């Protein structure tokens, strides 16, 4: 199975700042990686797929990069609504697995 | 508007069974692979099952293989998850999700399953 190691688990930042979240795969997954946003009381939202392609409706301040085993989600100019939890997921093969999540908190 | 609404969760004793349902609307259900994903309390997300458009192909991780069965009724735009021999570690919120390729482009709000005596 492909293990996804996501870091950091917690991240504190201020509105207007930029942050990056890392996701490392235990073996090469090409660019078969998606990023999701989780908010309390709301359905999970797909942000990015294929490592760097923004899903329709995802604000342009979000970007994804990487291939192989190392991936990064970057959020520029943080907005108040961005302070929540983010997950990565590989889809290179079954079983599909997720990272452990990153909680982005307001500093 | 795509909508996925899960139902059927609740409290169940270890070893018993439970069947979850997901009502889909706002898209042509029969054109999409569908899945169940779960999240144990204070834990991350875990993929549980995927079913092909016709229902002829199903996929499971080892953690639920042989105990859980995913199925669908395209005429009713509904997805199901039959969970047998439930264990305490199956306690989680269960989400219905629509596949886009092998990731998930829409999710439901979830239904909570608690396995406890």
């Amino acid at each position: 199975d492909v293990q996804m190691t996501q870091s950091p688990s917690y991240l504190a930042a201020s509105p207007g700042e930029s942050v990056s979240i890392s996701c490392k795969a235990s073996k090469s997954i090409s660019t078969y990686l998606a990023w999701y946003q989780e908010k309390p009381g709301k359905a999970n939202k797909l942000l990015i797929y294929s490592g760097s392609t923004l899903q329709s409706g995802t604000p342009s301040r979000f970007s994804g990069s990487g291939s192989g085993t190392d991936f990064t989600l970057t959020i520029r100019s943080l907005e108040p609504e961005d302070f929540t939890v983010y997950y990565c997921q590989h889809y290179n093969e079954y079983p599909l697995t997720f990272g452990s999540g990153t909680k982005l908190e307001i500093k | 508007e795509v909508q996925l609404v899960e139902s059927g969760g609740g409290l169940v004793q270890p070893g018993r069974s439970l069947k979850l349902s997901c009502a889909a609307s706002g898209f042509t259900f029969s054109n999409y692979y569908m899945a169940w994903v779960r999240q144990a309390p204070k834990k991350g997300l875990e993929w549980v099952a995927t079913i092909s458009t016709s229902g002829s192909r199903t996929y499971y991780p080892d953690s639920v293989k042989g105990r859980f069965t995913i199925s669908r009724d395209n005429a009713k735009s509904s997805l199901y998850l039959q969970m047998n021999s439930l264990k305490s570690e199956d306690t989680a919120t269960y989400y219905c999700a629509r596949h886009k390729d092998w990731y998930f482009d829409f999710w439901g709000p979830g239904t909570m399953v608690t396995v406890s005596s």
Side-chain angles (χ1 to χ4, degrees):
Chain A
D1 298 1
V2 179
Q3 308 301 319
M4 304 302 295
T5 302
Q6 191 173 337
S7 62
S9 299
Y10 296 92
L11 183 56
S14 300
E17 292 184 341
S18 295
V19 297
S20 292
I21 299 169
S22 170
C23 191
K24 295 183 185 292
S26 59
K27 70 177 190 181
S28 178
I29 57 170
S30 184
T31 57
Y32 296 118
L33 186 99
W35 290 97
Y36 302 91
Q37 181 186 65
E38 175 190 272
K39 285 189 173 183
K42 290 191 171 184
N44 291 339
K45 181 182 178 182
L46 172 67
L47 296 174
I48 288 169
Y49 59 94
S50 297
S52 61
T53 303
L54 265 59
Q55 170 72 348
S56 175
T58 300
S60 58
R61 63 181 180 274
F62 289 86
S63 64
S65 63
S67 66
T69 60
D70 293 349
F71 299 84
T72 302
L73 172 69
T74 299
I75 313 172
R76 293 185 169 80
S77 300
L78 284 165
E79 297 284 344
E81 61 266 28
D82 299 336
F83 292 90
T84 188
V85 181
Y86 296 88
Y87 291 94
C88 62
Q89 176 231 329
H90 90 82
Y91 51 100
N92 184 64
E93 62 187 41
Y94 283 112
L96 310 173
T97 56
F98 293 84
S100 55
T102 295
K103 185 173 184 179
L104 177 56
E105 301 177 322
I106 298 179
K107 188 185 292 182
Chain B
E1 179 193 5
V2 172
Q3 285 201 327
L4 300 169
V5 180
E6 305 89 343
S7 61
L11 175 63
V12 60
Q13 293 179 329
R16 302 299 289 265
S17 300
L18 195 66
K19 186 173 185 177
L20 306 182
S21 300
C22 171
S25 61
F27 65 102
T28 304
F29 181 74
S30 59
N31 287 351
Y32 289 86
Y33 277 46
M34 297 295 296
W36 290 95
V37 178
R38 69 184 179 183
Q39 184 172 33
K42 307 291 187 184
K43 299 291 186 181
L45 297 165
E46 180 186 13
W47 165 71
V48 171
T50 287
I51 189 167
S52 63
T53 52
S54 66
S56 61
R57 289 186 297 271
T58 57
Y59 308 84
Y60 307 92
D62 287 345
S63 58
V64 306
K65 194 176 295 183
R67 299 189 301 122
F68 289 12
T69 302
I70 188 172
S71 61
R72 65 191 296 161
D73 185 335
N74 286 340
K76 295 183 177 180
S77 294
S78 292
L79 180 72
Y80 306 101
L81 184 68
Q82 176 68 46
M83 303 185 293
N84 298 331
S85 303
L86 282 162
K87 306 174 183 179
S88 57
E89 51 263 43
D90 295 319
T91 293
T93 297
Y94 285 74
Y95 300 99
C96 169
R98 190 178 83 169
H99 266 285
K100 180 181 176 184
D101 198 342
W102 297 113
Y103 51 92
F104 312 104
D105 64 348
F106 285 97
W107 299 63
T111 187
M112 183 68 196
V113 173
T114 301
V115 183
S116 175
S117 54

